[in-house]
């Protein structure tokens, strides 16, 4: 090979690997999450684990030793706005420095990209294990925090005809779709990112106990969400918690702060189809039912 050809090849390869890097996502089926310890007093894990999914998307997990719920949080960056979905289970920034963590990620990204973004904080739903640190973001410069009621969520995302119509939010060359899915909680939404193709399903669908507060609404929401997945490519279906072990149908008890053998975070579209089918089969009378990767858990 001539040296000129070699140079062209190297340039070509470096471009290829760049675009592959941008397109390929971190393998969340293999990600090792912090999962607490038997002795939380001596836990040395960080309060928040940061996993970068691609160049403009992050998945965060709260340490189980700070709060056993150990929720997952999601940060999306566009060319105009950053969107943080959820603020975790702990208010105190000394124990759980979420604002500082998110700010640092955004600051680094702004430095690299040369773009300044404003920060939008919204929620998969209103439960306190996903909204506790809202106060860390309120009254901060260039930051908006969405409200928690159905009225506030519909007006924030400009959703017409809740819960039947989806809406979109544009972060600047980055569109996300907001899908109303009440049932676990009245103001629950799912979020689909057209760039990474991840679908956030909140507490409505994750490897754990799917607590259902409004059975009929939940059934219809899961039906609509399932339909959405048949029309869209899904890279990962990501919920807010892990409560299942890696043994089929076996969950960790509520309040567990050490989960050495937990289920992986992503669920599959076929798991969602399995839930949808089960709900249809059960009918209108709420019923507890254990599946391999989730438990139907009417409240
Ligand atoms: Zn919840
Ligand atoms: Zn939750």
């Amino acid at each position: 090979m001539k040296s000129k050809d070699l140079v062209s090849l190297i340039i070509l390869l470096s471009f290829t690997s760049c675009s592959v890097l941008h397109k390929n996502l971190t393998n969340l089926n293999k990600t090792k999450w912090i999962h607490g310890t038997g002795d939380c007093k001596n836990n040395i894990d960080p309060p928040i684990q940061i996993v970068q999914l691609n160049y403009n998307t992050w998945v965060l997990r709260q340490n189980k030793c700070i709060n056993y719920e150990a929720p997952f949080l999601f940060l999306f960056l566009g060319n105009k706005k950053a969107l943080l979905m959820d603020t975790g289970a702990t208010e105190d920034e000394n124990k759980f420095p979420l604002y500082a963590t998110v700010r640092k990620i955004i600051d680094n990204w702004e430095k690299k990209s040369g773009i300044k973004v404003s920060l939008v904080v919204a929620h998969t739903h209103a439960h306190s294990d996903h909204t506790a640190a809202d106060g860390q973001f309120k009254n901060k410069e260039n930051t908006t925090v969405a409200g928690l009621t159905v009225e506030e969520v519909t007006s924030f995302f400009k959703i017409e005809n809740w819960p039947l119509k989806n809406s979109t939010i544009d972060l600047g060359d980055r569109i996300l779709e907001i899908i109303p899915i009440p049932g676990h909680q009245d103001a629950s939404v799912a979020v689909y990112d057209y760039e990474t193709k991840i679908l956030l399903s909140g507490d409505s669908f994750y490897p754990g106990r799917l607590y259902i507060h409004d059975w009929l609404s939940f059934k219809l929401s899961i039906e609509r969400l399932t339909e959405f997945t048949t029309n869209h490519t899904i890279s990962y279906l990501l919920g807010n918690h892990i409560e299942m072990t890696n043994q089929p149908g076996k969950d960790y008890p509520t309040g567990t702060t050490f989960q050495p053998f937990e289920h992986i975070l992503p669920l599959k579209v076929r798991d969602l189809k399995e839930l949808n089918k089960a709900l249809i089969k059960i009918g209108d009378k709420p019923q507890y039912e254990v599946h391999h990767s989730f438990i139907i858990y009417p409240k």
Side-chain angles (χ1 to χ4, degrees):
M1 189 184 289
K2 282 187 228 153
S3 69
K4 206 175 126 199
D5 291 344
L6 186 65
V7 170
S8 323
L9 181 69
I10 289 167
I11 290 170
L12 179 75
L13 281 176
S14 64
F15 267 106
T16 314
S17 72
C18 254
S19 68
V20 166
L21 263 181
H22 279 206
K23 270 190 183 149
N24 276 1
L25 306 178
T26 298
N27 188 345
L28 294 181
N29 293 320
K30 295 210 168 123
T31 300
K32 285 264 169 258
W33 296 104
I34 53 172
H35 49 258
T37 34
D39 170 20
C40 271
K41 272 192 191 135
N42 294 311
N43 180 275
I44 50 160
D45 293 329
I48 302 165
Q49 180 180 4
I50 304 166
V51 168
Q52 186 163 9
L53 185 63
N54 75 339
Y55 75 107
N56 58 4
T57 315
W58 285 262
V59 183
L60 313 179
R61 188 186 204 182
Q62 179 166 359
N63 188 326
K64 265 200 165 280
C65 285
I66 299 172
N67 187 296
Y68 75 87
E69 295 279 12
F72 291 86
L73 299 78
F74 305 87
L75 178 66
F76 303 91
L77 277 161
N79 290 335
K80 289 197 174 115
K81 291 176 192 166
L83 172 69
L84 174 67
M85 286 308 295
D86 293 344
T87 62
T90 301
E91 189 180 348
D92 184 350
E93 61 187 335
N94 296 312
K95 286 188 192 144
F96 182 59
L98 183 62
Y99 178 76
T101 303
V102 168
R103 200 58 254 172
K104 203 168 167 190
I105 295 172
I106 296 175
D107 287 347
N108 283 337
W109 193 82
E110 285 180 333
K111 248 181 244 160
K112 268 188 210 155
S113 65
I115 300 166
K116 281 258 171 230
V117 296
S118 57
L119 173 59
V120 173
V121 179
H123 312 90
T124 57
H125 63 294
H127 286 156
S128 61
D129 54 327
H130 308 284
T131 59
D134 275 18
Q136 293 184 26
F137 294 84
K138 283 177 182 164
N139 304 315
K140 291 289 196 307
E141 208 186 325
N142 251 331
T143 304
T144 316
V145 181
L148 301 175
T149 64
V150 172
E151 291 71 29
E152 286 168 316
V153 171
T154 51
S155 98
F156 188 82
F157 287 119
K158 300 182 179 66
I159 297 170
E160 292 165 20
N161 198 12
W162 172 279
L164 299 175
K165 254 187 115 182
N166 301 349
S167 76
T168 54
I169 177 170
D170 186 358
L171 305 181
D173 301 318
R174 185 170 199 184
I175 308 279
L176 288 93
E177 188 151 340
I178 309 296
I179 307 155
I181 49 165
H184 167 74
Q185 196 267 329
D186 290 347
S188 293
V189 297
V191 179
Y192 179 68
D193 173 30
Y194 279 88
E195 185 169 320
T196 59
K197 320 279 188 220
I198 62 173
L199 176 62
L200 309 186
S201 48
D203 277 8
S204 302
F205 190 58
Y206 66 92
R209 295 176 290 274
L210 310 179
Y211 296 113
I212 304 164
H213 144 80
D214 178 341
W215 180 263
L216 203 63
S217 296
F218 187 79
K219 265 185 80 172
L220 293 170
S221 292
I222 294 301
E223 203 177 305
R224 284 200 321 278
L225 195 62
T226 306
E227 200 185 312
F228 184 90
T229 62
T230 61
N231 304 323
H232 296 78
T233 306
I234 308 292
S235 59
Y236 292 115
L237 234 166
L238 303 173
N240 279 350
H241 303 277
I242 300 173
E243 291 159 359
M244 302 307 285
T245 66
N246 58 14
Q247 302 296 309
K250 197 168 181 284
D251 57 334
Y252 283 105
T254 307
T256 302
T257 52
F258 184 37
Q259 296 191 167
F261 306 109
E262 62 184 12
H263 196 286
I264 57 170
L265 175 64
L267 287 174
K268 296 195 166 55
V269 168
R270 72 157 186 265
D271 298 319
L272 182 65
K273 285 184 175 155
E274 181 183 318
L275 171 64
N276 188 41
K277 233 172 139 180
L279 293 171
I280 291 168
K281 201 173 161 209
I282 292 170
D284 292 343
K285 208 168 146 242
Q287 191 182 303
Y288 173 90
E289 201 171 270
V290 178
H291 288 247
H292 276 194
S293 299
F294 57 86
I295 298 171
I296 300 172
Y297 209 115
K299 279 255 191 179

